[in-house]
Amino acid sequence: MERKVAGRPRDVALLAEMEAEHALLDPRLTAVDAALKDRSAELPALVRSLASTLDEHLAHEEESALPLIREVLTPADWGAFTGRIRKTQGVRGAALFVPWIVDGAPPADRARFLGALPPPVRVLNKLFWEAGYRRRGLWVA
């Protein structure tokens, strides 16, 4: 993506901001994981810090980065991206990613996303993945 925005200082700066925000998230995630393992009394404060940082990042990403991505990435770029994701995450990754993406999405958005997937993926999601995702209870308040 950096090549696509070269010569566009504002967009280059935005990508640098996104990278810096991602760098803030990793140590917070690690700290929460460690606090969970150790049953640390600091866990609530660490989770609040992670949630705050993540909320700010996601808002920034949705407001600024996603429009840029939509502007500069071509269908071929998206194809290359999804191919890399498929190779690195495989079916196990898709089994969590697909139901997570559609969790809580408005029906039209859900249908559009699922409609773009190959039929076998839609079937797997409907028959197995969504139920498994719900059983995990990842986002229960």
Side-chain angles (χ1 to χ4, degrees):
M1 178 126 152
E2 290 85 10
R3 287 190 332 251
K4 295 202 176 260
V5 297
R8 296 168 59 170
R10 188 168 155 221
D11 295 335
V12 169
L14 173 61
L15 294 179
E17 291 168 10
M18 290 293 114
E19 283 187 36
E21 290 171 14
H22 285 165
L24 292 173
L25 289 168
D26 289 339
R28 285 170 173 76
L29 287 165
T30 301
V32 167
D33 283 344
L36 282 167
K37 286 179 189 167
D38 299 340
R39 298 179 182 209
S40 170
E42 294 180 27
L43 180 61
L46 293 169
V47 168
R48 281 191 298 276
S49 174
L50 172 61
S52 173
T53 303
L54 186 57
D55 285 347
E56 290 171 13
H57 169 67
L58 291 175
H60 188 204
E61 197 167 64
E62 285 184 30
E63 179 181 304
S64 302
L66 291 180
L68 176 62
I69 289 169
R70 282 187 210 102
E71 176 190 334
V72 301
L73 293 186
T74 66
D77 295 329
W78 280 112
F81 170 74
T82 57
R84 281 194 303 275
I85 293 297
R86 246 191 318 273
K87 283 181 184 175
T88 59
Q89 295 194 358
V91 174
R92 285 182 175 221
L96 184 59
F97 178 75
V98 171
W100 173 71
I101 287 291
V102 297
D103 185 22
D109 292 344
R110 176 185 170 83
R112 187 170 39 256
F113 176 80
L114 292 173
L117 298 174
V121 173
R122 290 194 303 265
V123 170
L124 286 169
N125 184 61
K126 184 175 184 173
L127 296 178
F128 304 107
W129 297 349
E130 284 199 27
Y133 174 82
R134 282 190 299 276
R135 277 193 304 274
R136 292 179 81 170
L138 297 175
W139 302 107
V140 177

